[in-house]
């Protein structure tokens, strides 16, 4: 079984596409009557256990398990998130969403955060945001997401294009950009090479609270995508010195990464 959390803005077209291309013998069940609450951070596992008596200590990263709230309500617990921290996404019936939120908020270790905080966290991790860093015209190879495709697989929807890019390379590539001078790299800003030629643009950019430095990501011609290459980001007609930087900008702290480090 696979549990997919679909981008809300794309859910109708995505569900229609999945149903249209569903292989014989595979069933698709639309769980649209759900609320999703993300519990993220180094104390997430302890909070989940203290608040709902759910022990997820042996649950692997990117794994989903069925669980129950203390009152017997069935929920799903996924060890995933959009922050780079260890944590969980709780899929609960909408009628229980407020109760779950209040129960979590009652724990002294828990603080609510908004989309701006989440956006800075996902940018520091180099996580893509649909409609900005990826869209229906972006391939996984261009976006640096080819790790999701099994290398042995070749005969699949879009496979001809993707396998071709894996073998020969793509003409553009998503890269991290770190500003080395004062300024903020905003979405849509041009990226120029050392000679002033436009080679790409920023798709996400902000000030990193962790690094105390402006960072961003975007697409550039593959010829200038090497780590360390000097570039310029144009903000309000002013070129700002920058360089191509590795992602993530901040090391991940997911459970899988913790195990690897250990």
């Amino acid at each position: 079984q696979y549990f997919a959390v679909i981008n809300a803005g794309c859910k109708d077209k995505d569900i229609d596409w999945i149903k249209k291309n569903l292989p014989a013998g595979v069933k698709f069940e639309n769980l649209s009557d759900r609320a999703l609450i993300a519990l993220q951070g180094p104390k997430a596992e302890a909070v989940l256990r203290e608040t709902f008596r759910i022990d997820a200590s042996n649950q692997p990263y990117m794994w989903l398990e069925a669980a129950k709230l203390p009152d017997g309500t069935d929920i799903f617990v996924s060890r995933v998130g959009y922050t780079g921290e260890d944590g969980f996404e709780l899929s609960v019936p909408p009628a229980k969403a407020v109760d779950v939120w209040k129960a979590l908020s009652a724990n002294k270790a828990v603080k609510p955060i908004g989309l701006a905080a989440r956006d800075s966290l996902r940018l520091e991790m180099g996580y893509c945001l649909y409609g900005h860093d990826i869209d229906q015209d972006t391939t996984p190879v261009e976006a640096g997401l080819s790790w999701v495709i099994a290398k042995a697989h070749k005969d699949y929807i879009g496979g001809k294009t993707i396998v071709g890019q894996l073998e020969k390379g793509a003409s553009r590539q998503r890269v991290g950009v770190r500003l080395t001078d004062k300024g903020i790299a905003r979405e849509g800003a041009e990226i120029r090479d050392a000679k002033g030629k436009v080679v790409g643009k920023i798709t996400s950019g902000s000030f990193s609270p962790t690094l105390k430095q402006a960072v961003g990501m975007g697409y550039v011609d593959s010829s200038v995508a090497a780590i360390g290459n000097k570039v310029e980001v144009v903000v309000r007609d002013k070129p700002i010195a920058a360089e191509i930087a590795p992602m993530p900008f901040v090391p991940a702290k997911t459970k899988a990464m913790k195990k690897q480090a250990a």
Side-chain angles (χ1 to χ4, degrees):
Q1 293 182 337
Y2 290 89
F3 182 87
V5 178
I6 299 174
N7 184 293
C10 304
K11 66 177 183 178
D12 293 331
K13 70 173 184 176
D14 284 350
I15 290 171
D16 288 343
W17 188 91
I18 291 171
K19 288 181 176 179
K20 179 182 177 181
N21 293 280
L22 205 65
V26 178
K27 179 183 177 182
F28 177 86
E29 183 179 359
N30 185 5
L31 303 176
S32 58
D33 57 336
R34 312 295 295 180
L36 199 67
I37 297 175
L39 176 66
Q40 301 284 291
K43 297 182 180 180
E45 187 180 292
V47 170
L48 193 63
R49 182 171 56 252
E50 294 167 5
T51 307
F52 301 121
R53 300 197 295 274
I54 296 174
D55 184 4
S57 56
N58 293 320
Q59 184 173 350
Y61 181 54
M62 294 190 74
W63 198 263
L64 175 138
E65 294 181 356
K68 290 183 181 292
L69 296 177
D71 66 0
T73 301
D74 291 318
I75 67 170
F76 293 118
V77 178
S78 304
R79 193 165 208 142
V80 293
Y82 202 38
T83 64
E85 289 282 349
D86 187 23
F88 306 89
E89 289 184 351
L90 310 180
S91 177
V92 304
K96 289 292 180 180
V98 173
D99 291 340
V100 169
W101 179 271
K102 287 183 176 179
L104 289 172
S105 299
N107 192 301
K108 293 181 179 180
V110 175
K111 302 292 182 187
I113 68 166
L115 290 179
R118 185 212 63 175
D119 200 50
S120 69
L121 289 165
R122 68 97 189 168
L123 178 57
E124 289 179 342
M125 287 305 305
Y127 290 161
C128 294
L129 178 61
Y130 187 85
H132 300 260
D133 312 298
I134 52 174
D135 56 31
Q136 63 184 17
D137 297 318
T138 311
T139 73
V141 182
E142 294 171 336
L145 300 174
S146 54
W147 60 269
V148 304
I149 303 168
K151 293 181 179 180
H153 291 184
K154 295 184 183 297
D155 184 19
Y156 51 86
I157 297 171
K160 183 176 180 181
T161 297
I162 293 171
V163 171
Q165 289 185 343
L166 286 172
E167 293 176 347
K168 300 177 182 179
S171 61
R172 64 172 186 158
Q173 187 175 331
R174 182 173 65 94
V175 296
V177 178
R178 188 191 303 263
L179 270 62
T180 54
D181 206 348
K182 292 183 179 180
I184 302 292
R186 296 299 186 188
E187 180 181 354
E190 288 182 350
I191 302 174
R192 298 176 182 173
D193 65 13
K195 297 181 180 179
K197 178 185 176 182
V198 177
V199 293
K201 70 175 183 178
I202 296 292
T203 53
S204 288
S206 187
F207 184 81
S208 164
T210 304
L211 299 175
K212 303 293 187 289
Q213 187 177 31
V215 298
M217 57 180 162
Y219 287 85
V220 298
D221 297 343
S222 294
S223 60
V224 297
I227 303 299
N229 271 353
K230 304 299 181 184
V231 294
E232 295 177 339
V233 175
V234 182
V235 179
R236 297 190 183 94
D237 297 323
K238 177 185 176 183
I240 301 173
E243 63 182 11
I244 305 300
M247 293 187 290
F249 297 103
V250 176
K253 298 177 182 176
T254 60
K255 187 166 186 176
M257 291 298 181
K258 286 179 181 177
K259 282 186 175 181
Q260 184 177 339

